[in-house]
Amino acid sequence: MSNSLLPSTAMLQFLAAYTVIMITPGPIGLATGSLASLHGFGRTIPLVAGIGAGTAVLAVLVAFGAVHLSGSLSVPAVKIAGAAVLGWMALRIARTAPPAAGDEPQRRQAGLFAGGFLISILSPETATFFAVAFMGLMLPIRNSNEMLMVAAIVAIIDIGWYGFLALALSRPVVRAAAMRHHRVICRAAGVVLAMLALVSAASAFPLG
């Protein structure tokens, strides 16, 4: 993957799947929305920056492992296994229950950046998705330049999305509306992710 291949089909597929996972309501979005609605957008900026940094580091760590393992594994087998994992994630996302309305981030004073970093780098959904994608299902990583490129891209996407979310949910009425439609959002995200899993599985058996 070089700079000229950034708009490639593989990159677009990776970004589409990652976006679906990222915008699905979950612990990171809940922490961001809760802090923003309680304390305003400005107070949430360090948390959002920590989320972006945590995702970038997680992407580098997973990609580093993928580089050293992918050469010893069968690409079709990895794609099929990865598609199965994405399908499982789609089912889990579609069945996610709404978070408790009283849940709030515990980090109110110092350490908001560290809190965002930890909640992001310890996300099992994001780590699983990166592992599946980087092992050859969507976006195989081959060298350190590609690791850093992808890490920067996902960090920018995270900061942009969660920054927008914090700005929107700094208005409690908007957050309440999002909570009411939680089930619809999760089911729609699950359907999209399931479709991407099917496309990825089909790529394991190229025609011709």
Side-chain angles (χ1 to χ4, degrees):
M1 182 181 64
S2 63
N3 289 338
S4 61
L5 296 180
L6 279 177
S8 67
T9 301
M11 175 61 80
L12 293 177
Q13 184 181 4
F14 168 79
L15 294 178
Y18 179 64
T19 299
V20 169
I21 292 172
M22 180 184 61
I23 68 176
T24 302
I28 300 177
L30 177 62
T32 303
S34 298
L35 187 65
S37 63
L38 291 170
H39 300 288
F41 173 72
R43 182 67 179 276
T44 316
I45 292 176
L47 181 75
V48 172
I51 291 169
T55 301
V57 173
L58 179 61
V60 170
L61 293 175
V62 175
F64 181 80
V67 167
H68 290 82
L69 290 176
S70 59
S72 61
L73 299 176
S74 165
V75 172
V78 169
K79 289 187 175 183
I80 294 172
V85 173
L86 285 182
W88 170 78
M89 292 179 69
L91 181 62
R92 179 177 177 181
I93 286 173
R95 300 177 62 182
T96 299
D103 287 350
E104 298 177 4
Q106 298 178 356
R107 306 167 186 87
R108 297 286 187 82
Q109 304 300 323
L112 286 176
F113 179 90
F117 183 91
L118 289 174
I119 197 174
S120 182
I121 198 172
L122 296 177
S123 169
E125 291 83 6
T126 305
T128 300
F129 172 71
F130 284 162
V132 169
F134 298 157
M135 289 297 291
L137 177 60
M138 293 180 187
L139 198 69
I141 302 294
R142 294 184 293 267
N143 54 57
S144 59
N145 289 335
E146 293 180 355
M147 290 182 200
L148 296 176
M149 184 186 302
V150 173
I153 290 172
V154 295
I156 291 171
I157 292 175
D158 268 26
I159 291 173
W161 167 248
Y162 289 113
F164 168 78
L165 191 66
L167 184 61
L169 297 185
S170 60
R171 301 179 59 187
V173 64
V174 177
R175 180 172 179 245
M179 294 287 285
R180 285 197 303 271
H181 297 288
H182 179 277
R183 189 174 299 277
V184 174
I185 295 171
C186 286
R187 288 182 176 177
V191 170
V192 173
L193 197 59
M195 293 175 62
L196 289 169
L198 290 174
V199 171
S200 297
S203 70
F205 305 97
L207 298 177

